[in-house]
Amino acid sequence: AQSVTQLDSQVPVFEEAPVELRCNYSSSVSVYLFWYVQYPNQGLQLLLKYLSGSTLVKGINGFEAEFNKSQTSFHLRKPSVHISDTAEYFCAVSLNPGYQKVTFGTGTKLQVIP
Amino acid sequence: ETGVTQSPTHLIKTRGQQVTLRCSSQSGHNTVSWYQQALGQGPQFIFQYYREEENGRGNFPPRFSGLQFPNYSSELNVNALELDDSALYLCASSLAGMNEQFFGPGTRLTVL
């Protein structure tokens, strides 16, 4: 079975500073990786996904993530954060896009400080 | 294009009662998945429906059941509610074979 570990439960960062949210996964087979964002009292929105190909994936709102197979990581980065990026971010893994069970991490709360 | 909608937004029940949550999938999507998100946790997969049949289930007891209708909308039913069932219940729709799920805003269930 696959699992996802998000190492940081909360990450405070000053506005316009860079940020990295860490995600590690465990699986015995190839996986598909996702980052979702959840704003207060809302559902989840897909930021970006890695299925195959280039290991650097660009998503919406200026976010990007890099798939590292040897380190089983999929860290999310943004070079300059805005107040509006304050939200909870979830890393997720799926084994098979046809059977779409998605396993989520416990989330990282990004707090952007003015 | 209408997104995924869920009803009701909030719900309060007492232990032992039964509850039905509803989800309308995004236009054209034929697959619906349900997730439970407890406070401070990531979403946990409950089950998925495709063509009105259950197509995969997570580690949830049988008192969690569902339906999918010909128009692809779906219901989640929970019997014999327990305090630990208090959570945000998320519905996600997708097109079979595609890897992106679109989430609704969720239903906040409180069990007293």
PDB file of all heavy atoms in Angstrom, chain B residues 5-34:
ATOM      1  N   THR B   5     -21.231  20.007  -6.716  1.00  0.00           N
ATOM      2  CA  THR B   5     -21.997  20.613  -5.625  1.00  0.00           C
ATOM      3  C   THR B   5     -22.370  19.545  -4.607  1.00  0.00           C
ATOM      4  O   THR B   5     -22.556  18.365  -4.965  1.00  0.00           O
ATOM      5  CB  THR B   5     -23.269  21.313  -6.132  1.00  0.00           C
ATOM      6  OG1 THR B   5     -24.101  20.350  -6.784  1.00  0.00           O
ATOM      7  CG2 THR B   5     -22.919  22.418  -7.120  1.00  0.00           C
ATOM      8  N   GLN B   6     -22.476  19.968  -3.351  1.00  0.00           N
ATOM      9  CA  GLN B   6     -22.823  19.046  -2.276  1.00  0.00           C
ATOM     10  C   GLN B   6     -23.889  19.676  -1.396  1.00  0.00           C
ATOM     11  O   GLN B   6     -23.910  20.893  -1.200  1.00  0.00           O
ATOM     12  CB  GLN B   6     -21.593  18.713  -1.419  1.00  0.00           C
ATOM     13  CG  GLN B   6     -20.540  17.900  -2.152  1.00  0.00           C
ATOM     14  CD  GLN B   6     -19.394  17.485  -1.254  1.00  0.00           C
ATOM     15  OE1 GLN B   6     -18.249  17.873  -1.467  1.00  0.00           O
ATOM     16  NE2 GLN B   6     -19.698  16.667  -0.244  1.00  0.00           N
ATOM     17  N   SER B   7     -24.752  18.819  -0.860  1.00  0.00           N
ATOM     18  CA  SER B   7     -25.761  19.309   0.079  1.00  0.00           C
ATOM     19  C   SER B   7     -26.006  18.269   1.157  1.00  0.00           C
ATOM     20  O   SER B   7     -25.859  17.071   0.919  1.00  0.00           O
ATOM     21  CB  SER B   7     -27.062  19.619  -0.669  1.00  0.00           C
ATOM     22  OG  SER B   7     -27.594  18.439  -1.246  1.00  0.00           O
ATOM     23  N   PRO B   8     -26.355  18.723   2.365  1.00  0.00           N
ATOM     24  CA  PRO B   8     -26.356  20.116   2.787  1.00  0.00           C
ATOM     25  C   PRO B   8     -24.932  20.609   3.073  1.00  0.00           C
ATOM     26  O   PRO B   8     -23.988  19.842   2.990  1.00  0.00           O
ATOM     27  CB  PRO B   8     -27.176  20.059   4.076  1.00  0.00           C
ATOM     28  CG  PRO B   8     -26.876  18.703   4.634  1.00  0.00           C
ATOM     29  CD  PRO B   8     -26.730  17.794   3.448  1.00  0.00           C
ATOM     30  N   THR B   9     -24.813  21.869   3.434  1.00  0.00           N
ATOM     31  CA  THR B   9     -23.504  22.436   3.766  1.00  0.00           C
ATOM     32  C   THR B   9     -23.081  21.998   5.155  1.00  0.00           C
ATOM     33  O   THR B   9     -21.914  21.646   5.374  1.00  0.00           O
ATOM     34  CB  THR B   9     -23.565  23.972   3.711  1.00  0.00           C
ATOM     35  OG1 THR B   9     -24.054  24.364   2.450  1.00  0.00           O
ATOM     36  CG2 THR B   9     -22.188  24.556   3.944  1.00  0.00           C
ATOM     37  N   HIS B  10     -24.025  22.059   6.078  1.00  0.00           N
ATOM     38  CA  HIS B  10     -23.764  21.653   7.455  1.00  0.00           C
ATOM     39  C   HIS B  10     -24.899  20.765   7.932  1.00  0.00           C
ATOM     40  O   HIS B  10     -26.043  20.899   7.462  1.00  0.00           O
ATOM     41  CB  HIS B  10     -23.678  22.869   8.398  1.00  0.00           C
ATOM     42  CG  HIS B  10     -22.541  23.772   8.109  1.00  0.00           C
ATOM     43  ND1 HIS B  10     -22.621  24.818   7.220  1.00  0.00           N
ATOM     44  CD2 HIS B  10     -21.271  23.806   8.603  1.00  0.00           C
ATOM     45  CE1 HIS B  10     -21.456  25.461   7.174  1.00  0.00           C
ATOM     46  NE2 HIS B  10     -20.625  24.863   8.004  1.00  0.00           N
ATOM     47  N   LEU B  11     -24.582  19.894   8.891  1.00  0.00           N
ATOM     48  CA  LEU B  11     -25.579  18.965   9.405  1.00  0.00           C
ATOM     49  C   LEU B  11     -25.205  18.582  10.824  1.00  0.00           C
ATOM     50  O   LEU B  11     -24.022  18.302  11.097  1.00  0.00           O
ATOM     51  CB  LEU B  11     -25.584  17.728   8.515  1.00  0.00           C
ATOM     52  CG  LEU B  11     -26.799  16.818   8.448  1.00  0.00           C
ATOM     53  CD1 LEU B  11     -28.056  17.607   8.138  1.00  0.00           C
ATOM     54  CD2 LEU B  11     -26.567  15.756   7.383  1.00  0.00           C
ATOM     55  N   ILE B  12     -26.199  18.575  11.706  1.00  0.00           N
ATOM     56  CA  ILE B  12     -25.965  18.124  13.073  1.00  0.00           C
ATOM     57  C   ILE B  12     -26.879  16.941  13.359  1.00  0.00           C
ATOM     58  O   ILE B  12     -28.087  17.019  13.132  1.00  0.00           O
ATOM     59  CB  ILE B  12     -26.212  19.257  14.088  1.00  0.00           C
ATOM     60  CG1 ILE B  12     -25.262  20.418  13.819  1.00  0.00           C
ATOM     61  CG2 ILE B  12     -26.023  18.737  15.527  1.00  0.00           C
ATOM     62  CD1 ILE B  12     -25.518  21.637  14.696  1.00  0.00           C
ATOM     63  N   LYS B  13     -26.289  15.859  13.833  1.00  0.00           N
ATOM     64  CA  LYS B  13     -27.037  14.652  14.157  1.00  0.00           C
ATOM     65  C   LYS B  13     -26.624  14.170  15.544  1.00  0.00           C
ATOM     66  O   LYS B  13     -25.616  14.628  16.102  1.00  0.00           O
ATOM     67  CB  LYS B  13     -26.745  13.555  13.127  1.00  0.00           C
ATOM     68  CG  LYS B  13     -27.285  13.838  11.734  1.00  0.00           C
ATOM     69  CD  LYS B  13     -28.777  13.648  11.676  1.00  0.00           C
ATOM     70  CE  LYS B  13     -29.317  13.716  10.273  1.00  0.00           C
ATOM     71  NZ  LYS B  13     -30.793  13.495  10.242  1.00  0.00           N
ATOM     72  N   THR B  14     -27.392  13.227  16.090  1.00  0.00           N
ATOM     73  CA  THR B  14     -27.019  12.617  17.357  1.00  0.00           C
ATOM     74  C   THR B  14     -26.610  11.163  17.130  1.00  0.00           C
ATOM     75  O   THR B  14     -26.941  10.550  16.104  1.00  0.00           O
ATOM     76  CB  THR B  14     -28.165  12.676  18.364  1.00  0.00           C
ATOM     77  OG1 THR B  14     -29.322  12.045  17.786  1.00  0.00           O
ATOM     78  CG2 THR B  14     -28.498  14.120  18.713  1.00  0.00           C
ATOM     79  N   ARG B  15     -25.869  10.639  18.085  1.00  0.00           N
ATOM     80  CA  ARG B  15     -25.384   9.260  17.986  1.00  0.00           C
ATOM     81  C   ARG B  15     -26.527   8.293  17.708  1.00  0.00           C
ATOM     82  O   ARG B  15     -27.607   8.405  18.290  1.00  0.00           O
ATOM     83  CB  ARG B  15     -24.688   8.851  19.279  1.00  0.00           C
ATOM     84  CG  ARG B  15     -23.254   9.276  19.372  1.00  0.00           C
ATOM     85  CD  ARG B  15     -22.593   8.726  20.611  1.00  0.00           C
ATOM     86  NE  ARG B  15     -23.282   9.122  21.833  1.00  0.00           N
ATOM     87  CZ  ARG B  15     -22.966   8.656  23.040  1.00  0.00           C
ATOM     88  NH1 ARG B  15     -22.007   7.777  23.190  1.00  0.00           N
ATOM     89  NH2 ARG B  15     -23.634   9.065  24.089  1.00  0.00           N
ATOM     90  N   GLY B  16     -26.282   7.340  16.840  1.00  0.00           N
ATOM     91  CA  GLY B  16     -27.269   6.327  16.524  1.00  0.00           C
ATOM     92  C   GLY B  16     -28.170   6.671  15.346  1.00  0.00           C
ATOM     93  O   GLY B  16     -28.805   5.779  14.766  1.00  0.00           O
ATOM     94  N   GLN B  17     -28.213   7.964  14.986  1.00  0.00           N
ATOM     95  CA  GLN B  17     -29.049   8.360  13.862  1.00  0.00           C
ATOM     96  C   GLN B  17     -28.407   7.970  12.532  1.00  0.00           C
ATOM     97  O   GLN B  17     -27.263   7.507  12.472  1.00  0.00           O
ATOM     98  CB  GLN B  17     -29.293   9.877  13.892  1.00  0.00           C
ATOM     99  CG  GLN B  17     -30.298  10.314  14.940  1.00  0.00           C
ATOM    100  CD  GLN B  17     -30.670  11.773  14.783  1.00  0.00           C
ATOM    101  OE1 GLN B  17     -29.794  12.651  14.668  1.00  0.00           O
ATOM    102  NE2 GLN B  17     -31.954  12.065  14.787  1.00  0.00           N
ATOM    103  N   GLN B  18     -29.158   8.181  11.472  1.00  0.00           N
ATOM    104  CA  GLN B  18     -28.687   7.913  10.119  1.00  0.00           C
ATOM    105  C   GLN B  18     -28.637   9.237   9.353  1.00  0.00           C
ATOM    106  O   GLN B  18     -29.393  10.169   9.640  1.00  0.00           O
ATOM    107  CB  GLN B  18     -29.647   6.928   9.430  1.00  0.00           C
ATOM    108  CG  GLN B  18     -29.318   6.600   7.987  1.00  0.00           C
ATOM    109  CD  GLN B  18     -30.058   7.476   6.987  1.00  0.00           C
ATOM    110  OE1 GLN B  18     -31.052   8.126   7.325  1.00  0.00           O
ATOM    111  NE2 GLN B  18     -29.561   7.534   5.777  1.00  0.00           N
ATOM    112  N   VAL B  19     -27.732   9.322   8.378  1.00  0.00           N
ATOM    113  CA  VAL B  19     -27.604  10.560   7.608  1.00  0.00           C
ATOM    114  C   VAL B  19     -27.375  10.234   6.134  1.00  0.00           C
ATOM    115  O   VAL B  19     -26.775   9.198   5.786  1.00  0.00           O
ATOM    116  CB  VAL B  19     -26.442  11.420   8.155  1.00  0.00           C
ATOM    117  CG1 VAL B  19     -25.080  10.779   7.868  1.00  0.00           C
ATOM    118  CG2 VAL B  19     -26.484  12.817   7.578  1.00  0.00           C
ATOM    119  N   THR B  20     -27.889  11.110   5.274  1.00  0.00           N
ATOM    120  CA  THR B  20     -27.666  10.995   3.831  1.00  0.00           C
ATOM    121  C   THR B  20     -27.079  12.296   3.314  1.00  0.00           C
ATOM    122  O   THR B  20     -27.657  13.364   3.535  1.00  0.00           O
ATOM    123  CB  THR B  20     -28.970  10.691   3.084  1.00  0.00           C
ATOM    124  OG1 THR B  20     -29.479   9.423   3.517  1.00  0.00           O
ATOM    125  CG2 THR B  20     -28.722  10.637   1.581  1.00  0.00           C
ATOM    126  N   LEU B  21     -25.955  12.200   2.658  1.00  0.00           N
ATOM    127  CA  LEU B  21     -25.296  13.352   2.053  1.00  0.00           C
ATOM    128  C   LEU B  21     -25.374  13.204   0.536  1.00  0.00           C
ATOM    129  O   LEU B  21     -25.286  12.091   0.011  1.00  0.00           O
ATOM    130  CB  LEU B  21     -23.828  13.429   2.495  1.00  0.00           C
ATOM    131  CG  LEU B  21     -23.562  13.322   3.992  1.00  0.00           C
ATOM    132  CD1 LEU B  21     -22.066  13.456   4.269  1.00  0.00           C
ATOM    133  CD2 LEU B  21     -24.350  14.351   4.759  1.00  0.00           C
ATOM    134  N   ARG B  22     -25.498  14.340  -0.150  1.00  0.00           N
ATOM    135  CA  ARG B  22     -25.707  14.301  -1.589  1.00  0.00           C
ATOM    136  C   ARG B  22     -24.631  15.043  -2.357  1.00  0.00           C
ATOM    137  O   ARG B  22     -24.065  16.026  -1.871  1.00  0.00           O
ATOM    138  CB  ARG B  22     -27.088  14.863  -1.924  1.00  0.00           C
ATOM    139  CG  ARG B  22     -28.222  13.996  -1.361  1.00  0.00           C
ATOM    140  CD  ARG B  22     -29.598  14.555  -1.629  1.00  0.00           C
ATOM    141  NE  ARG B  22     -30.626  13.625  -1.175  1.00  0.00           N
ATOM    142  CZ  ARG B  22     -31.053  13.519   0.083  1.00  0.00           C
ATOM    143  NH1 ARG B  22     -30.553  14.303   1.007  1.00  0.00           N
ATOM    144  NH2 ARG B  22     -31.980  12.643   0.409  1.00  0.00           N
ATOM    145  N   CYS B  23     -24.407  14.572  -3.577  1.00  0.00           N
ATOM    146  CA  CYS B  23     -23.353  15.141  -4.417  1.00  0.00           C
ATOM    147  C   CYS B  23     -23.814  15.139  -5.872  1.00  0.00           C
ATOM    148  O   CYS B  23     -24.284  14.105  -6.381  1.00  0.00           O
ATOM    149  CB  CYS B  23     -22.080  14.314  -4.274  1.00  0.00           C
ATOM    150  SG  CYS B  23     -20.756  14.725  -5.437  1.00  0.00           S
ATOM    151  N   SER B  24     -23.664  16.272  -6.518  1.00  0.00           N
ATOM    152  CA  SER B  24     -23.903  16.350  -7.961  1.00  0.00           C
ATOM    153  C   SER B  24     -22.558  16.519  -8.648  1.00  0.00           C
ATOM    154  O   SER B  24     -21.814  17.455  -8.336  1.00  0.00           O
ATOM    155  CB  SER B  24     -24.805  17.529  -8.284  1.00  0.00           C
ATOM    156  OG  SER B  24     -26.104  17.304  -7.810  1.00  0.00           O
ATOM    157  N   SER B  25     -22.255  15.614  -9.537  1.00  0.00           N
ATOM    158  CA  SER B  25     -20.940  15.642 -10.174  1.00  0.00           C
ATOM    159  C   SER B  25     -20.868  16.735 -11.237  1.00  0.00           C
ATOM    160  O   SER B  25     -21.880  17.266 -11.685  1.00  0.00           O
ATOM    161  CB  SER B  25     -20.631  14.286 -10.802  1.00  0.00           C
ATOM    162  OG  SER B  25     -21.611  13.940 -11.768  1.00  0.00           O
ATOM    163  N   GLN B  26     -19.640  17.049 -11.616  1.00  0.00           N
ATOM    164  CA  GLN B  26     -19.432  18.031 -12.675  1.00  0.00           C
ATOM    165  C   GLN B  26     -19.977  17.460 -13.986  1.00  0.00           C
ATOM    166  O   GLN B  26     -19.923  16.254 -14.222  1.00  0.00           O
ATOM    167  CB  GLN B  26     -17.943  18.347 -12.799  1.00  0.00           C
ATOM    168  CG  GLN B  26     -17.607  19.456 -13.771  1.00  0.00           C
ATOM    169  CD  GLN B  26     -16.217  20.003 -13.556  1.00  0.00           C
ATOM    170  OE1 GLN B  26     -15.821  20.299 -12.444  1.00  0.00           O
ATOM    171  NE2 GLN B  26     -15.464  20.131 -14.631  1.00  0.00           N
ATOM    172  N   SER B  27     -20.484  18.361 -14.819  1.00  0.00           N
ATOM    173  CA  SER B  27     -21.079  17.955 -16.079  1.00  0.00           C
ATOM    174  C   SER B  27     -20.135  17.044 -16.881  1.00  0.00           C
ATOM    175  O   SER B  27     -18.971  17.380 -17.088  1.00  0.00           O
ATOM    176  CB  SER B  27     -21.420  19.204 -16.893  1.00  0.00           C
ATOM    177  OG  SER B  27     -21.953  18.847 -18.148  1.00  0.00           O
ATOM    178  N   GLY B  28     -20.654  15.884 -17.298  1.00  0.00           N
ATOM    179  CA  GLY B  28     -19.866  14.970 -18.117  1.00  0.00           C
ATOM    180  C   GLY B  28     -19.053  13.955 -17.338  1.00  0.00           C
ATOM    181  O   GLY B  28     -18.526  12.998 -17.919  1.00  0.00           O
ATOM    182  N   HIS B  29     -18.939  14.132 -16.023  1.00  0.00           N
ATOM    183  CA  HIS B  29     -18.146  13.199 -15.212  1.00  0.00           C
ATOM    184  C   HIS B  29     -18.986  12.003 -14.806  1.00  0.00           C
ATOM    185  O   HIS B  29     -20.114  12.152 -14.341  1.00  0.00           O
ATOM    186  CB  HIS B  29     -17.616  13.900 -13.968  1.00  0.00           C
ATOM    187  CG  HIS B  29     -16.508  14.844 -14.261  1.00  0.00           C
ATOM    188  ND1 HIS B  29     -15.855  15.562 -13.268  1.00  0.00           N
ATOM    189  CD2 HIS B  29     -15.917  15.206 -15.425  1.00  0.00           C
ATOM    190  CE1 HIS B  29     -14.911  16.306 -13.814  1.00  0.00           C
ATOM    191  NE2 HIS B  29     -14.933  16.115 -15.122  1.00  0.00           N
ATOM    192  N   ASN B  30     -18.434  10.795 -14.961  1.00  0.00           N
ATOM    193  CA  ASN B  30     -19.190   9.581 -14.677  1.00  0.00           C
ATOM    194  C   ASN B  30     -18.702   8.820 -13.448  1.00  0.00           C
ATOM    195  O   ASN B  30     -19.200   7.744 -13.137  1.00  0.00           O
ATOM    196  CB  ASN B  30     -19.171   8.652 -15.895  1.00  0.00           C
ATOM    197  CG  ASN B  30     -17.747   8.354 -16.356  1.00  0.00           C
ATOM    198  OD1 ASN B  30     -16.777   8.603 -15.651  1.00  0.00           O
ATOM    199  ND2 ASN B  30     -17.641   7.816 -17.569  1.00  0.00           N
ATOM    200  N   THR B  31     -17.740   9.363 -12.756  1.00  0.00           N
ATOM    201  CA  THR B  31     -17.164   8.686 -11.587  1.00  0.00           C
ATOM    202  C   THR B  31     -17.218   9.620 -10.388  1.00  0.00           C
ATOM    203  O   THR B  31     -16.885  10.803 -10.507  1.00  0.00           O
ATOM    204  CB  THR B  31     -15.703   8.286 -11.868  1.00  0.00           C
ATOM    205  OG1 THR B  31     -15.658   7.442 -13.017  1.00  0.00           O
ATOM    206  CG2 THR B  31     -15.114   7.528 -10.685  1.00  0.00           C
ATOM    207  N   VAL B  32     -17.643   9.079  -9.254  1.00  0.00           N
ATOM    208  CA  VAL B  32     -17.739   9.881  -8.037  1.00  0.00           C
ATOM    209  C   VAL B  32     -17.012   9.159  -6.907  1.00  0.00           C
ATOM    210  O   VAL B  32     -17.199   7.953  -6.701  1.00  0.00           O
ATOM    211  CB  VAL B  32     -19.207  10.113  -7.627  1.00  0.00           C
ATOM    212  CG1 VAL B  32     -19.267  10.821  -6.278  1.00  0.00           C
ATOM    213  CG2 VAL B  32     -19.923  10.939  -8.686  1.00  0.00           C
ATOM    214  N   SER B  33     -16.197   9.904  -6.182  1.00  0.00           N
ATOM    215  CA  SER B  33     -15.493   9.365  -5.017  1.00  0.00           C
ATOM    216  C   SER B  33     -15.899  10.163  -3.790  1.00  0.00           C
ATOM    217  O   SER B  33     -16.146  11.365  -3.882  1.00  0.00           O
ATOM    218  CB  SER B  33     -13.976   9.457  -5.209  1.00  0.00           C
ATOM    219  OG  SER B  33     -13.565   8.739  -6.352  1.00  0.00           O
ATOM    220  N   TRP B  34     -15.935   9.488  -2.662  1.00  0.00           N
ATOM    221  CA  TRP B  34     -16.250  10.141  -1.383  1.00  0.00           C
ATOM    222  C   TRP B  34     -15.053  10.028  -0.444  1.00  0.00           C
ATOM    223  O   TRP B  34     -14.393   8.973  -0.374  1.00  0.00           O
ATOM    224  CB  TRP B  34     -17.464   9.481  -0.743  1.00  0.00           C
ATOM    225  CG  TRP B  34     -18.768   9.831  -1.380  1.00  0.00           C
ATOM    226  CD1 TRP B  34     -19.416   9.152  -2.372  1.00  0.00           C
ATOM    227  CD2 TRP B  34     -19.612  10.944  -1.050  1.00  0.00           C
ATOM    228  NE1 TRP B  34     -20.596   9.777  -2.694  1.00  0.00           N
ATOM    229  CE2 TRP B  34     -20.744  10.875  -1.888  1.00  0.00           C
ATOM    230  CE3 TRP B  34     -19.523  11.987  -0.131  1.00  0.00           C
ATOM    231  CZ2 TRP B  34     -21.777  11.814  -1.839  1.00  0.00           C
ATOM    232  CZ3 TRP B  34     -20.545  12.912  -0.070  1.00  0.00           C
ATOM    233  CH2 TRP B  34     -21.659  12.821  -0.922  1.00  0.00           C
TER     234      TRP B  34
END
